[in-house]
Amino acid sequence: MATILSFLQNLSTISPSIFILIFCSIFAILCYTYTSSRKAASRLPPGPPGLPLIGNLASLDPELHSYFAALSRKYGPILKLRLGFKLGIIITSPSLAREVLKDHDITFANRDVPDVARSAAYGGNDIVWTPYGPQWRLLRKVCVLKMLSNTTLDSVYSLRRHEVRRTVSYMFSQAGSPVDFGEQIFLSILNVITNMLWGGTVQGEERANLGKEFRRVVAGMTEILGSPNVSDFFPGLVRFDLQGLQKKMDSLAKQFDAIFERMIEKRLKMDSAGGNGEENKDFLRFLLKITEEEDAKTPFTMTHLKALLMDMIVGGTDTSSNAIEFAMAEIINKPEVMSKAQQELDSVIGKNNIVEENHIHQLPYLYAIMKETLRLHPTLPLLVPHCPSETCTVGGYTIPKGARVFVNVWAIHRDPSIWENPLEFKPERFLDSKWDYSGNDFSYFPFGSGRRICAGIAMAERMYLYSLATLLHSFDWNSPQGKNVDLTEKFGIVMKLKNPLIAIPTPRLSDPTLYH
């Protein structure tokens, strides 16, 4: 304040000519700044007009994937939305997706972390939200090399087999009656993942109750993560939590944390009691060992440990179970696809045997069903939003540092200029074709691409194909009253069916012992 008063007092001593020169200089600077900002704005992508302050927030449709696709048909494959104080950029073409995810991969390797995600992921200290750098590389290395490598996945096949056989046994007990298909698949995958995480730490009734608790919490978390949050668009409103989303996420995160604390305590007690046999070499024990190793540059703390556990459960359950549920819904609506898949299964496995995971590579049509499901219903329709670490150019337009960039893989997978009859479920399009999901082809990349490509592709592929193959081989499937299944999608960070798939299993194998 004293400095400002001193400056004002000194103005009276300045000669008129100097005063005019200062005034003109300030005016020139302001004009230059204004002109530069206008030029920068003119280089931004096109987009719909918005209201003062709130921009385009008032016109957002809850089904963001289809809403963004409609906007791209009007404004082009790259467009902008003013979301309060946040600039959103939507990408809807293979060539522009390549620029973002390959040509400028490092620039876009960061995330624009939603406020609620910080609560869900221990302050954003997980693989999904951690900024690109040494800490992220350590987390991904730990997770991929120990948890998701082919060697590890081979070693825990017995876990997958046990859980899939339990699901078959349950479906057999419900033969002729409607079952909640998605719920059973979720519990099966959850049990596989939690067994990999903490092995025999929990057993019996506690294990069953834990599964139910996890499904409720995971569903709540993914729903909140997919909900537009005014706090993300107006950072000054974070403390008010106007929609109550932060409060809800905090509550769910605390429930998860309590479970993790319980598992960690059990594991530590087991180890201290001498439970160090081969049967106890689970992921949690490995992570606890890493936390004891000192690394000043890239420490691995208990917070990182819990964040990885969160990633494995939230990222590995809802995604895979929803994808399998979409596949079965499409198959029920297309009896010819079910028949063709079962003919292939019968020719490879026979009807006097059960599916094993080593049969999978002999089932090209089943593999095509998986690819087609992920084309038509990609698990993450907008991937996880990217955030440029510096201002760059994409498609001739300026993408400012800090923008939230959505890559609409759902729309690209339904582009009629790329796909023939794109809305039709047709697995045959993937037979003997070049399409894969390695992230190198930007017409088809359901798991993303670049440095941030999904770390769990191998796990997802095994669970998907083995589960679906077993259920199609063991049962015929119909919807109640023979009606077509409603395939309406419900948008979220993880795509799901709007209405859960209720289906009726009918045993198709002659020997009842094959169901136990």
Side-chain angles (χ1 to χ4, degrees):
M1 178 63 74
T3 303
I4 295 173
L5 289 173
S6 175
F7 174 74
L8 292 174
Q9 289 169 356
N10 290 335
L11 280 179
S12 60
T13 65
I14 299 176
S15 66
S17 59
I18 297 297
F19 182 85
I20 292 173
L21 180 61
I22 293 174
F23 176 80
C24 290
S25 298
I26 294 173
F27 182 75
I29 292 171
L30 290 174
C31 287
Y32 175 79
T33 302
Y34 177 76
T35 302
S36 298
S37 65
R38 291 285 293 178
K39 286 182 178 179
S42 69
R43 292 194 296 269
L44 290 174
L51 298 172
L53 188 62
I54 66 171
N56 305 107
L57 283 175
S59 59
L60 285 182
D61 189 297
E63 301 301 312
L64 287 182
H65 60 309
S66 54
Y67 172 65
F68 286 171
L71 288 178
S72 71
R73 288 192 288 271
K74 182 175 181 180
Y75 294 99
I78 179 170
L79 63 101
K80 72 175 186 298
L81 289 176
R82 293 285 182 184
L83 306 172
F85 293 162
K86 178 68 65 176
L87 179 66
I89 302 294
I90 293 92
I91 302 294
T92 318
S93 81
S95 61
L96 294 176
R98 175 182 291 274
E99 287 192 49
V100 169
L101 301 176
K102 184 175 181 180
D103 299 344
H104 299 293
D105 186 10
I106 293 180
T107 300
F108 285 93
N110 285 322
R111 303 297 197 194
D112 183 28
V113 187
D115 193 45
V116 292
R118 297 187 189 279
S119 293
Y122 294 89
N125 282 294
D126 66 334
I127 291 177
V128 177
W129 302 110
T130 293
Y132 177 70
Q135 192 70 60
W136 176 81
R137 285 193 290 271
L138 172 65
L139 293 174
R140 188 175 176 94
K141 179 181 177 181
V142 167
C143 190
V144 172
L145 291 184
K146 180 61 182 178
M147 183 71 178
L148 301 172
S149 68
N150 283 320
T151 301
T152 301
L153 292 174
D154 286 343
S155 71
V156 294
Y157 168 53
S158 61
L159 296 179
R160 292 192 293 280
R161 188 181 191 278
H162 176 72
E163 293 303 332
V164 169
R165 297 316 305 173
R166 285 203 342 170
T167 301
V168 167
S169 180
Y170 174 81
M171 297 296 191
F172 183 71
S173 72
Q174 302 297 307
S177 303
V179 297
D180 187 328
F181 182 86
E183 180 177 61
Q184 293 307 311
I185 295 299
F186 178 93
L187 292 174
S188 177
I189 294 173
L190 174 67
N191 287 337
V192 169
I193 290 175
T194 53
N195 259 300
M196 292 171 69
L197 291 179
W198 43 70
T201 307
V202 290
Q203 297 290 342
E205 187 177 346
E206 183 183 4
R207 184 168 173 271
N209 292 335
L210 197 60
K212 294 177 183 178
E213 186 176 358
F214 269 136
R215 186 169 200 223
R216 179 181 56 79
V217 177
V218 168
M221 279 189 161
T222 54
E223 182 176 351
I224 293 172
L225 285 168
S227 302
N229 186 358
V230 68
S231 297
D232 292 331
F233 311 124
F234 300 96
L237 299 178
V238 169
R239 57 179 176 159
F240 299 109
D241 190 22
L242 297 177
Q243 296 161 266
L245 296 178
Q246 185 66 53
K247 182 179 179 181
K248 292 177 183 177
M249 185 62 86
D250 284 343
S251 174
L252 294 173
K254 286 177 182 176
Q255 293 176 55
F256 255 133
D257 189 69
I259 295 171
F260 294 156
E261 286 284 355
R262 197 160 75 240
M263 295 302 105
I264 291 169
E265 183 180 356
K266 281 177 175 285
R267 164 52 67 203
L268 291 173
K269 285 183 177 179
M270 289 172 68
D271 286 350
S272 64
N276 297 324
E278 287 294 320
E279 70 277 6
N280 289 322
K281 288 189 175 180
D282 52 47
F283 192 45
L284 177 56
R285 188 155 175 257
F286 170 76
L287 292 180
L288 286 169
K289 183 179 179 181
I290 295 178
T291 61
E292 299 170 359
E293 300 172 358
E294 293 188 5
D295 188 333
K297 291 184 179 179
T298 51
F300 187 83
T301 66
M302 194 62 74
T303 296
H304 293 118
L305 182 153
K306 292 179 181 178
L308 278 186
L309 296 181
M310 185 78 79
D311 273 346
M312 293 306 303
I313 292 173
V314 177
T317 51
D318 233 21
T319 51
S320 295
S321 62
N322 287 348
I324 296 171
E325 188 175 15
F326 268 118
M328 186 59 78
E330 290 280 7
I331 290 169
I332 289 174
N333 283 355
K334 286 223 167 185
E336 67 275 16
V337 172
M338 186 182 298
S339 176
K340 192 169 182 179
Q342 289 174 334
Q343 287 174 17
E344 180 181 70
L345 287 160
D346 292 345
S347 67
V348 173
I349 292 102
K351 298 186 77 170
N352 297 312
N353 202 353
I354 62 173
V355 178
E356 301 288 356
E357 205 169 75
N358 59 14
H359 291 131
I360 298 302
H361 71 278
Q362 304 174 58
L363 303 169
Y365 191 69
L366 187 81
Y367 194 34
I369 288 175
M370 174 182 171
K371 289 182 175 180
E372 177 69 341
T373 305
L374 293 175
R375 180 194 70 82
L376 202 54
H377 310 285
T379 307
L380 276 65
L382 302 177
L383 302 182
V384 178
H386 291 256
C387 182
S389 56
E390 61 185 29
T391 298
C392 65
T393 301
V394 173
Y397 293 105
T398 298
I399 308 300
K401 175 182 178 180
R404 180 174 292 187
V405 180
F406 302 92
V407 180
N408 195 342
V409 65
W410 180 87
I412 293 172
H413 284 184
R414 292 171 175 236
D415 187 340
S417 68
I418 302 171
W419 306 94
E420 183 180 354
N421 299 321
L423 302 185
E424 181 184 354
F425 184 77
K426 187 178 179 183
E428 288 76 11
R429 73 174 86 238
F430 284 100
L431 290 173
D432 302 322
S433 78
K434 62 178 182 176
W435 307 106
D436 62 34
Y437 36 74
S438 62
N440 293 317
D441 193 319
F442 291 90
S443 295
Y444 181 72
F445 52 113
F447 292 101
S449 181
R451 284 165 174 77
R452 291 284 189 162
I453 193 170
C454 175
I457 295 177
M459 175 70 173
E461 180 181 79
R462 292 184 189 220
M463 281 304 306
Y464 186 112
L465 292 173
Y466 180 44
S467 300
L468 187 61
T470 299
L471 292 171
L472 284 174
H473 179 249
S474 302
F475 303 98
D476 288 316
W477 295 89
N478 292 286
S479 61
Q481 289 84 47
K483 296 180 180 178
N484 266 6
V485 175
D486 181 5
L487 290 166
T488 304
E489 299 165 332
K490 182 179 180 181
F491 175 79
I493 193 169
V494 177
M495 181 86 78
K496 60 193 269 186
L497 277 170
K498 183 176 181 180
N499 299 305
L501 173 60
I502 306 300
I504 299 174
T506 302
R508 61 186 300 271
L509 305 179
S510 56
D511 184 357
T513 63
L514 296 175
Y515 291 94
H516 300 288

